[in-house]
Structure formats: structure tokens, C-alpha cells
Amino acid sequence: MDKKLKVAIIGLGRISGRHLNAYKTENLAEIVAVCDIKKDRADKIANEYNAKAYYNYEEMLDSEKLDAVHICLPHYLHVPASVYAIERGVNVISEKPMSIDYESALKTVELAKSKGVLYGLILQNRYNGATKFVKNALNSGKLGKIISARSLVTWYRSDEYYSSSDWSGTWEKEGGGVLINQAIHTLDLANYMIDSEFDILSASMANRNHKNIEVEDVFEGLITYKNGVKHIFYFTNNYGCSEPVEVKLYCENGKVTFDYDKAAIVYNDKSVEEFNEPQNFVEIDGKDYWGRQHFTQINQFYKACLKLEDLEITGEEGLKTHKLVCELYKTAKENYNK
Ligand SMILES: NC(=O)c1ccc[n+]([C@@H]2O[C@H](COP(=O)([O-])OP(=O)(O)OC[C@H]3O[C@@H](n4cnc5c(N)ncnc54)[C@H](O)[C@@H]3O)[C@@H](O)[C@H]2O)c1
């Protein structure tokens, strides 16, 4: 590849390693700048990646000639940083969630469209082998229609997880708890399979076990979609460890179960189709991470920036699950116990 994209990363915390290292797999981009308000963090990473350090993203976006920027910031900053980049003609790949409300996410997507700039949203689990296996089976028509769905996230987040940052656990900066941060991926996978607009929502949330935060650590409910599918879900950060998530689909011709790396389809005639390719943990910068799907998605975004492919997970696509998340919060806030 002759032309390499000039990219920058804003926010150099826990997730940034996956964004910083994605260029290594396909060599489509070079990291020319990095930005964090924590100067020591920005300086250290700039040094490692031979990039320029910035401590203010506006200054970086005004000074550098960038093709794309990765937004790895606390949730409440996703929109302002994305908008600042889009207005300067820079393509954006943002970490989930798009925003902490629906309207600003919608405006960001519309702005990107009007400026002819790409806006991609990280939903890396759409690239899991098990996700593709189930989606292909549904598309083939062999399973018939989905009748109902069940999704479960039973994870653990300690008090220290929340107290170690100034934004986690707050409505103002995180925008919610287990739903908008952890379970958003699983909700998105179920939504992606059901592939319909939602219709009626019934949901409740609670904070049962994290007295040091104001947002929910449990979210459960029922979504009825316009295509008739009923989706029950239960998400919590209170289990003692983080178990694999689970999505089940009850279809006209069989039942499907899948998580991040395994899937099984049992047809009504008792025949079985399975997918089982453990992605295992990969080491990036001395830390263990689940799978390589960030890399796959980021390189797909780079190819779209280079006009080699169409962008797969667009803002419009991201808005589908984001709208649902925001409406679920509106529904559940009526009876919130904290
Ligand atoms: N896709 C996934 O599976 C996944 C996993 C973890 C986190 N995330 C997402 O990644 C994002 C970041 O999460 P994290 O866990 O890395 O958070 P973090 O708190 O570890 O890192 C955020 C970084 O942003 C910096 N920052 C804050 N304000 C800034 C500003 N105005 N300008 C520049 N830098 C600023 C902080 O100093 C910090 O280094 C969140 O949206 C989170 O939901 C996604």
C-alpha cells in the first residue's frame, strides 16, 4: 500500500492499546499523534510510537493534518471530540457508546454525512466468528423466523474499578452503568440478529451492590420488536467473575445459542450445527485481551478511509442499538431505586 493514513488516538487509557496496535496487522496507517490530558501518559506513548504528544485534542486537530482519529475517551466526551474532528474533515472511529444521549449521537451522524466524512462506531463483537456463523444461518432462511430471544450478561466490576476513574459510575460522564458500558455489546448482538425496530419496552434497573456509584449495576427487561420478536434480557455487574455472555434465539425451525466464540444450532429435526473456534486471549502490550476483533474492525475502517471498501459499522448502524439503550434508560428511570 503506497498511501498510509495519518491517524491519531485521543484518550490513552485502558482500551487504547487495541487502537494503538491495530495498524500493525495490515500496515494501512501510521500513528502520527496521540493525545491525553495526562501529560505523562501522552509523552510515554508518543515516545513508544514515535508520534507527537498533545494534551489538548482541539490543539491536536487544529495542528495536524490527519486522515482519521480514534476516540477512546470517557463517554461524555465522545460527541464533542467527534464533532470537532468531523468539522475539520477528519474521519472518526469512536469507541462505544456513541454518546450518553440519543439526540447528540444522531446530530453527529448527520454532521458526518453532510461533511462527507466517515464516522465508524466500535462494536467489535460483530466480527466474532460465532456472530458471523449465526448471522449466516439466519440469512440462509433454514432457521425460519426468530420467535423470541434471551440475552444474559453476568459480569463483575469491583468498587475499585469504579473508584479508579473520575467518570465511571456517574450519570453525567458515563451516562449509565452496566447497560451503556458493558452489556451494550450483547444487546447489540441480539438486536443485530433480530434486525427490526423495537416497539414496546418494559424495563427496570437497580443498584444492588455498588454503594460508591450512582448508576445501575443491574438492568433487566423485555423488548417487543416490530417484527413480533420478544427479547428478554438480564444484565449485571454483580456476579463474582465475568462469565461469557450468552444469547439464545428460539426460531421457527430450531434453537440457537451463542457467545463470543462458540455457537450451536439445534434444529427441530434434532440435527446440530456448531461453531467452536476459541479466540483465546491475546497479549497486547503485556496485557491479556479477548480476541482480535478490534483489530479487524479498525482495519476495515482504515480500508473505508482509503476508499478500498465501504464502511461496515456506520453511524447509522450504531444508532439502532444506541436509540434502544437511551429509550431503555428512559423507561427504567421511572422506578429507579437510587
Ligand atoms: N469496545 C470495548 O470492548 C471497550 C472496552 C473497554 C472500554 N471501552 C470504551 O473505551 C472508552 C475509554 O474507556 P477506558 O476504559 O479506556 O477509559 P480510561 O478512563 O481508562 O481512559 C480514558 C482516557 O481519556 C483521558 N482523557 C479524559 N479526558 C480527556 C480529554 N479531554 N482529552 C484527552 N484525554 C482525556 C484520560 O486521562 C484517560 O487516559 C470508553 O468509551 C469505554 O466504554 C470499550
Side-chain angles (χ1 to χ4, degrees):
M1 171 63 52
D2 297 339
K3 175 170 160 41
K4 273 194 202 170
L5 300 167
K6 291 191 183 313
V7 305
I9 320 278
I10 310 176
L12 303 171
R14 283 176 293 224
I15 199 63
S16 63
R18 294 199 231 182
H19 291 260
L20 284 160
N21 291 308
Y23 78 91
K24 291 178 185 167
T25 46
E26 301 198 39
N27 217 16
L28 300 170
E30 59 178 319
I31 296 174
V32 296
V34 293
C35 174
D36 201 293
I37 45 169
K38 293 188 175 152
K39 291 189 177 184
D40 51 343
R41 219 171 248 194
D43 289 342
K44 181 173 174 285
I45 292 184
N47 192 32
E48 268 173 49
Y49 288 82
N50 201 19
K52 184 158 183 206
Y54 287 87
Y55 320 116
N56 174 308
Y57 69 75
E58 295 174 348
E59 192 190 326
M60 181 181 82
L61 288 160
D62 287 338
S63 313
E64 296 286 333
K65 270 196 155 308
L66 298 171
D67 296 303
V69 68
H70 296 234
I71 310 281
C72 301
L73 289 164
H75 297 175
Y76 73 109
L77 293 172
H78 289 187
V79 163
S82 299
V83 166
Y84 203 86
I86 292 166
E87 279 173 342
R88 279 148 192 80
V90 178
N91 298 305
V92 167
I93 178 104
S94 173
E95 265 299 344
K96 45 49 76 171
M98 302 176 86
S99 173
I100 55 174
D101 67 279
Y102 180 69
E103 289 70 25
S104 68
L106 177 63
K107 279 191 187 149
T108 307
V109 174
E110 287 172 349
L111 179 70
K113 199 170 178 196
S114 74
K115 296 275 180 191
V117 164
L118 292 179
Y119 172 92
L121 179 71
I122 292 284
L123 289 169
Q124 78 274 13
N125 292 301
R126 293 232 191 151
Y127 288 87
N128 295 341
T131 306
K132 288 182 179 288
F133 174 84
V134 174
K135 191 67 176 167
N136 289 341
L138 287 166
N139 286 346
S140 76
K142 214 173 144 190
L143 275 160
K145 288 188 191 140
I146 302 174
I147 296 163
S148 60
R150 185 188 93 173
S151 54
L152 275 184
V153 178
T154 56
W155 282 7
Y156 177 63
R157 289 294 180 271
S158 64
D159 286 344
E160 293 69 40
Y161 165 86
Y162 286 108
S163 58
S164 68
S165 94
D166 69 346
W167 61 276
S168 293
T170 67
W171 288 111
E172 197 191 351
K173 293 183 174 177
E174 188 174 6
V178 64
L179 175 64
I180 201 166
N181 197 332
Q182 287 79 33
I184 193 168
H185 289 295
T186 309
L187 184 68
D188 179 68
L189 290 182
N191 253 355
Y192 178 52
M193 299 304 170
I194 294 165
D195 196 19
S196 169
E197 277 181 51
F198 59 86
D199 188 11
I200 304 164
L201 303 181
S202 169
S204 61
M205 61 179 174
N207 180 315
R208 300 222 165 97
N209 195 40
H210 289 86
K211 296 306 160 213
N212 62 337
I213 61 169
E214 56 190 19
V215 298
E216 90 287 356
D217 60 14
V218 176
F219 207 116
E220 62 79 30
L222 167 68
I223 303 162
T224 304
Y225 292 81
K226 289 194 172 152
N227 64 2
V229 174
K230 289 199 187 308
H231 173 196
I232 56 165
F233 61 91
Y234 179 78
F235 306 139
T236 182
N237 272 344
N238 292 325
Y239 195 53
C241 64
S242 294
E243 283 292 329
V245 303
E246 185 180 276
V247 181
K248 283 181 182 261
L249 305 171
Y250 169 46
C251 305
E252 284 174 323
N253 303 331
K255 289 181 182 176
V256 180
T257 306
F258 68 102
D259 62 23
Y260 285 166
D261 59 3
K262 289 193 284 304
I265 302 174
V266 181
Y267 288 96
N268 294 346
D269 66 6
K270 307 275 189 259
S271 63
V272 175
E273 287 173 9
E274 284 179 315
F275 176 90
N276 190 355
E277 274 178 23
Q279 301 161 49
N280 297 323
F281 284 92
V282 293
E283 194 177 286
I284 301 165
D285 283 358
K287 292 182 199 147
D288 284 341
Y289 287 115
W290 184 255
R292 290 196 172 270
Q293 284 63 41
H294 263 87
F295 291 1
T296 313
Q297 183 175 356
I298 290 166
N299 280 292
Q300 204 286 317
F301 168 77
Y302 288 161
K303 283 178 206 153
C305 292
L306 288 163
K307 302 195 188 318
L308 301 172
E309 293 179 4
D310 288 339
L311 182 63
E312 288 174 355
I313 306 186
T314 59
E316 285 82 356
E317 191 59 31
L319 280 173
K320 294 177 185 169
T321 296
H322 190 65
K323 186 175 188 185
L324 178 54
V325 165
C326 295
E327 288 300 317
L328 282 169
Y329 274 115
K330 277 191 203 157
T331 307
K333 268 185 181 167
E334 287 167 19
N335 299 314
Y336 188 46
N337 76 346
K338 192 160 181 184

